[in-house]
Amino acid sequence: MSHFEPKWAARIKGLSAAYGLEIRLVPALRRLANFKSARASGRGIAYQCGGFSDLDVRVNNPKEIKRPGTNGLTYRDAGVDIDEGERLVELIKPAAKSTARPGAEAGLGGFAAVFDPKAGGFKDPVFLATTDGVGTKLKIAIESGRHETVGIDLVAMCVNDLSAQGAEPVMFLDYYATAKLDADQAALVVRGIAEGCKQAGCALAGGETAEMPGMYAAGDYDLAGFAIGAAERGTLLPRVDEMKPGDAIVGVASSGCHSNGYSLVRKIVERSGLAWDGPAPFEADKTLAQALLTPTRIYAKPLKPLFDARLIKGLAHITGGGLIENTPRALPDELAADFDWSAWTRPAVFEWLQATGGVPEEDMRRTFNLGIGLAMIVDPARADEVIAKLNAAGERAFKIGKLKAA
């Protein structure tokens, strides 16, 4: 070994056979003179304990570069299939594109979504953001193999929260996580998300698909949604300074359990011994899974004319916690809700759940929406007008109580 060949040089040369490379060590005294040509020819520079040696690396046959050993790993070997992810993008592009709206394109592939408030028809907007998921309702979708509607639930849980503040949904983004990506199954979910966006009038502006081996059980996936809303400055809800005792509480009907209370729902179904593909005892011509997967109702479009006319003083989205815990979120401290629990007929699903599970009434009221998706605070003199407008828009609305001093 010459003065210019330190001990590590022999080890570097020893790698040449494994990789099919010809490696020649150029003496350090010649390094400076050859530095520019080394950079130009793509040579590597190795550093060792205070001195540089210039390595001249040549590939004998680029098409036959060898891998050390026989067990070379790829990303796919580790459980992540990039090709399947790219296939998913192609499958969902038409659905995403169909949700475009003024101010927000719905194209995939960029790094960030953009909303142009001027193009969207806003003059002096404020922006709001919400996030939510679908919860264990997903387990019913997974176990029954019905994935088409949980995407609607995802959008609904986010955009209905925007509506509670008086905002118009303008953009939505989703997060889909699984251990092993099935592009066809994921596409069903995302198409449901696109359908929810169309119902809400917002653009599906982006999303993330995460394939994470070892993080979830086989076949499982999880969803998270993120919604952006806008409203003209000074129009947000609640307007607590306008509220007073005697104001009417108008309820807008839910489509069922929506996306809350499903841990209890699944426990009751387990106790009943019924199968997901068996007939629903509370809804004719549907399987149990179909009935319990009825998607959460989205209220954004029917509410907009009421917002524009300033007919609503406050609004609560009735989710986990029911009417009891969500309505106070839209009220000032000095006022409370006085519900008439007999003012509406509960959907049959809640009667079945309570009877089959032996659920106490207090738990029913604090767990489920019991048939009310929204609770609105309105002037009692305008309550009938609000109800008529909602019913004309295809909703079912009715008086369910009034405000009283706390």
Side-chain angles (χ1 to χ4, degrees):
M1 182 179 296
S2 73
H3 174 72
F4 299 106
E5 291 185 303
K7 294 180 179 179
W8 53 267
R11 290 196 293 271
I12 290 177
K13 288 183 175 180
L15 294 174
S16 61
Y19 285 96
L21 305 175
E22 177 186 339
I23 303 177
R24 180 171 62 86
L25 189 66
V26 179
L29 291 179
R30 295 172 53 195
R31 178 185 59 79
L32 292 177
N34 293 338
F35 182 74
K36 290 184 178 179
S37 62
R39 290 289 298 273
S41 64
R43 296 173 181 173
I45 307 297
Y47 177 77
Q48 170 70 17
C49 298
F52 285 92
S53 291
D54 195 350
L55 300 179
D56 187 357
V57 181
R58 294 184 176 87
V59 179
N60 294 330
N61 187 346
K63 295 183 179 180
E64 297 181 3
I65 296 179
K66 301 177 183 178
R67 297 181 183 273
T70 59
N71 296 316
L73 291 173
T74 66
Y75 209 7
R76 180 177 291 179
D77 295 330
V80 179
D81 190 338
I82 295 174
D83 292 336
E84 188 74 350
E86 292 177 349
R87 189 166 77 88
L88 172 61
V89 171
E90 293 303 313
L91 288 173
I92 64 177
K93 273 183 178 179
K97 187 176 181 180
S98 71
T99 68
R101 58 152 289 156
E105 295 182 358
L108 302 181
F111 290 98
V114 177
F115 178 72
D116 181 348
K118 185 176 181 179
F122 293 92
K123 297 178 181 178
D124 182 24
V126 292
F127 293 96
L128 298 83
T130 61
T131 183
D132 212 332
V134 182
T136 56
K137 188 175 186 177
L138 286 178
K139 289 295 290 183
I140 300 178
I142 292 166
E143 291 171 7
S144 66
R146 294 182 172 275
H147 310 280
E148 297 86 353
T149 59
V150 289
I152 300 175
D153 289 299
L154 184 67
V155 176
M157 295 305 291
C158 296
V159 300
N160 287 345
D161 281 351
L162 290 175
S163 293
Q165 302 287 155
E168 176 185 345
V170 295
M171 289 200 307
F172 190 84
L173 299 96
D174 72 274
Y175 175 79
Y176 179 100
T178 185
K180 179 65 176 176
L181 180 61
D182 179 336
D184 295 308
Q185 176 180 289
L188 291 175
V189 175
V190 178
R191 287 173 189 140
I193 294 172
E195 171 58 28
C197 287
K198 287 190 282 189
Q199 291 182 21
C202 62
L204 178 53
E208 169 71 5
T209 302
E211 186 172 29
M212 299 184 288
M215 288 291 290
Y216 298 91
D220 281 359
Y221 61 87
D222 199 9
L223 298 174
F226 313 89
I228 305 297
E232 295 295 350
R233 193 178 306 276
T235 66
L236 290 179
L237 299 178
R239 296 195 295 275
V240 295
D241 56 325
E242 298 180 16
M243 296 181 188
K244 59 185 184 298
D247 277 348
I249 304 176
V250 173
V252 186
S254 70
S255 56
C257 295
H258 281 187
S259 298
N260 296 102
Y262 274 84
S263 294
L264 179 55
V265 169
R266 290 169 52 243
K267 194 69 175 177
I268 293 170
V269 171
E270 180 183 337
R271 173 179 286 191
S272 75
L274 298 177
W276 295 127
D277 59 357
F282 50 86
E283 192 166 349
D285 302 323
K286 286 189 177 181
T287 67
L288 184 59
Q290 283 177 309
L292 291 174
L293 287 172
T294 299
T296 306
R297 196 154 184 85
I298 294 173
Y299 304 98
K301 289 182 178 179
L303 287 174
K304 191 175 186 309
L306 303 181
F307 292 157
D308 293 343
R310 296 180 69 86
L311 289 173
I312 301 175
K313 298 181 181 182
L315 193 157
H317 178 203
I318 309 306
T319 56
L323 282 162
I324 292 175
E325 295 189 6
N326 285 287
T327 307
R329 299 167 65 184
L331 303 179
D333 293 340
E334 64 270 18
L335 293 175
D338 183 12
F339 294 111
D340 178 1
W341 295 94
S342 64
W344 72 98
T345 301
R346 294 181 184 180
V349 60
F350 298 111
E351 300 296 340
W352 180 81
L353 289 168
Q354 185 170 25
T356 306
V359 184
E361 179 64 18
E362 181 182 0
D363 265 45
M364 292 294 294
R365 294 182 181 185
R366 297 186 67 227
T367 303
F368 299 112
N369 64 58
L370 297 180
I372 304 297
L374 300 177
M376 303 185 299
I377 312 304
V378 303
D379 188 306
R382 309 294 296 273
D384 289 340
E385 178 185 354
V386 168
I387 290 171
K389 288 180 179 294
L390 286 167
N391 290 343
E395 303 298 329
R396 290 185 297 115
F398 24 78
K399 297 176 188 177
I400 61 172
K402 60 184 180 180
L403 296 189
K404 64 180 181 179

